[in-house]
Amino acid sequence: MTIALEDTQQLLAEVDRFARQRIALATARPEAAISPSTLQALTQEAQDLGLLPRAYGEDGFALWEHLHSPHAQTLNTGILSRVARANAGVALAWHRAAMASAVARELGCTGSAHDGLACTLLTTGHYGLARTSLARWFKSTGTPASTDPDTDDTALLSDWLNRRDHDSVLVAPHAWQTLLWPVWLQGEVRWQKLDRAQLQVAPYPGQHGLDEMMAYTVRASAPASMLASEPVACGPEQSRHIYQRVLKMDMLGLLAIGHGALLHGQALATAYAAARKQGGATIDQHPAVQQLLAEIDMARQQAELALSGMAVPIDQMDLGHLCATRISTHQALCNAANQVIQVHGGSGYMRDTGAEKIVRDQNMLKLQIGGTRDAQLFVAGWIGGGV
């Protein structure tokens, strides 16, 4: 099934209307996180509208159901950006749930109904992006990693995806009941879907933003080879291919959510500057405030250029380039969010203005999938891995 430009524009117009009329209204008080029941109700509405997958075997134009055309990718990022403009936490919850559905389809797990927010996805191990080792594994060909002479990479990847001995941080909605994640077995990445009862789960005290979600530490209750849900095995090449796609979707989705969150912040800053008066004029007439507004707009433009440059079939994206783009762009988004607060002055730090929530949400988004500092090692490994 293909999608035309006109269809994409019409669908995104519907998403924009739904985000403004339903999500923004339900999340209008930034100082009070929406309840799990409200998030679940919004999710059901989104499924009924076809914005989120409804069944693994049912084809449509929902989020992450199509990855192989520029218009489909524009639709995917456009959905997330518009939802995030209303609320970044809702967008992240839907992004991860839709990704879980996409991975299940990729692995051939058809026939089971999509369960909304009950299934979520964790894309990485217990720290960063495995330094340079993951990138080198992606770039390797032929010999499986288990017999590769570079035993340091093998040992690090095995430890990085050791789900029994290490905690991983999961940011997910309250309603999650199953988790899909990568494990390392016999020199390759395999995928495993576990019920919450098969995991050791504890609240994670380090949560900073995305108040609509919860942060947890999770680890498997038994070795991967002994759990009731056997990991889905595939050949080394397919394993690398699927995992690259997953990371591309996640990085691209996080960029789109960050862009949408900044659009929200920019609207807050612009409206406040146009209404607040000081020295006989609105503050948007003051050069210092104009500079702040300009920095916010430059970050918006940077994010939009990055997203438009990634509107290609997913297999044509270069993962190293995408990772590098995300590092620089999300740093700019976080800086722009801080400038949104500065436009508001002291009131920007008050939770009921909404400006400080944009900062917290952007910081949490930046920390996802290895953060931005650790991701630099992945880029270094990607560049060197092709030599």
Side-chain angles (χ1 to χ4, degrees):
M1 183 181 293
T2 59
I3 181 169
L5 176 61
E6 295 77 10
D7 295 329
T8 302
Q9 293 170 338
Q10 291 178 10
L11 288 167
L12 289 178
E14 290 299 318
V15 174
D16 190 57
R17 185 161 32 251
F18 176 69
R20 286 185 288 103
Q21 294 178 356
R22 295 292 298 122
I23 304 172
L25 184 63
T27 61
R29 293 182 56 190
E31 77 280 10
I34 62 174
S35 67
S37 60
T38 300
L39 178 56
Q40 191 68 53
L42 289 171
T43 302
Q44 185 60 58
E45 289 184 52
Q47 285 186 287
D48 292 342
L49 289 171
L51 303 183
L52 294 177
R54 286 175 282 196
Y56 291 134
E58 183 178 331
D59 203 7
F61 293 120
L63 180 60
W64 297 127
E65 281 195 330
H66 297 277
L67 306 169
H68 304 296
S69 75
H71 298 326
Q73 293 293 63
T74 298
L75 178 63
N76 291 324
T77 57
I79 290 173
L80 289 173
S81 181
R82 283 159 175 78
V83 173
R85 183 171 184 173
N87 187 278
V90 174
L92 182 61
W94 291 358
H95 166 56
R96 290 282 167 77
M99 279 186 64
S101 177
V103 174
R105 289 196 306 272
E106 185 83 9
L107 296 171
C109 302
T110 57
S112 57
H114 183 68
D115 44 6
L117 297 176
C119 184
T120 191
L121 184 74
L122 181 61
T123 54
T124 60
H126 66 94
Y127 58 86
L129 278 168
R131 299 174 190 161
T132 59
S133 295
L134 178 63
R136 285 200 293 260
W137 178 70
F138 279 138
K139 301 288 273 188
S140 67
T141 56
T143 306
S146 58
T147 59
D148 194 289
D150 191 346
T151 56
D152 288 343
D153 282 350
T154 302
L156 193 145
L157 289 167
S158 177
D159 177 75
W160 180 59
L161 292 180
N162 182 335
R163 301 302 191 178
R164 182 187 63 169
D165 296 332
H166 300 295
D167 289 331
S168 297
V169 177
L170 171 70
V171 179
H174 297 255
W176 77 276
Q177 294 299 319
T178 57
L179 175 64
L180 185 63
W181 62 6
V183 296
W184 185 264
L185 284 177
Q186 299 176 351
E188 66 183 63
V189 169
R190 303 186 187 183
W191 291 89
Q192 189 169 48
K193 186 177 181 181
L194 299 179
D195 292 334
R196 194 163 177 165
Q198 296 175 285
L199 299 161
Q200 298 177 32
V201 181
Y204 181 64
Q207 184 170 350
H208 174 61
L210 300 172
D211 303 327
E212 301 75 20
M213 310 273 275
M214 284 287 292
Y216 307 87
T217 58
V218 292
R219 72 168 67 186
S221 300
S225 58
M226 296 175 58
L227 289 166
S229 177
E230 286 296 328
V232 177
C234 50
E237 289 305 314
Q238 186 184 10
S239 177
R240 277 190 284 264
H241 179 70
I242 292 175
Y243 199 17
Q244 276 202 51
R245 276 190 178 180
V246 170
L247 293 180
K248 289 175 185 178
M249 281 191 287
D250 208 6
M251 291 181 187
L252 192 58
L254 290 169
L255 267 180
I257 295 169
H259 168 254
L262 181 61
L263 289 178
H264 185 186
Q266 185 176 29
L268 292 175
T270 302
Y272 182 84
R276 176 79 166 89
K277 286 188 175 183
Q278 188 174 353
T282 56
I283 62 173
D284 60 1
Q285 301 303 309
H286 293 258
V289 175
Q290 290 173 348
Q291 180 175 343
L292 295 175
L293 293 172
E295 290 181 24
I296 295 168
D297 196 60
M298 285 188 290
R300 175 194 63 79
Q301 292 182 51
Q302 182 177 341
E304 288 174 359
L305 283 171
L307 290 170
S308 64
M310 296 297 171
V312 297
I314 197 162
D315 292 335
Q316 294 180 19
M317 290 183 197
D318 182 270
L319 179 56
H321 174 66
L322 175 55
C323 187
T325 300
R326 180 178 176 253
I327 292 170
S328 60
T329 305
H330 225 112
Q331 293 285 22
L333 290 172
C334 288
N335 178 67
N338 284 319
Q339 304 301 44
V340 171
I341 283 188
Q342 295 306 312
V343 170
H344 286 79
S347 65
Y349 294 93
M350 302 297 103
R351 292 206 165 199
D352 58 350
T353 67
E356 63 86 36
K357 187 179 188 304
I358 304 298
V359 172
R360 293 187 294 109
D361 286 351
Q362 290 286 21
N363 287 339
M364 282 287 287
L365 290 168
K366 181 179 71 173
L367 293 174
Q368 300 298 302
I369 196 172
T372 55
R373 291 188 178 180
D374 290 341
Q376 293 176 4
L377 292 172
F378 178 88
V379 175
W382 186 268
I383 295 170
V387 178

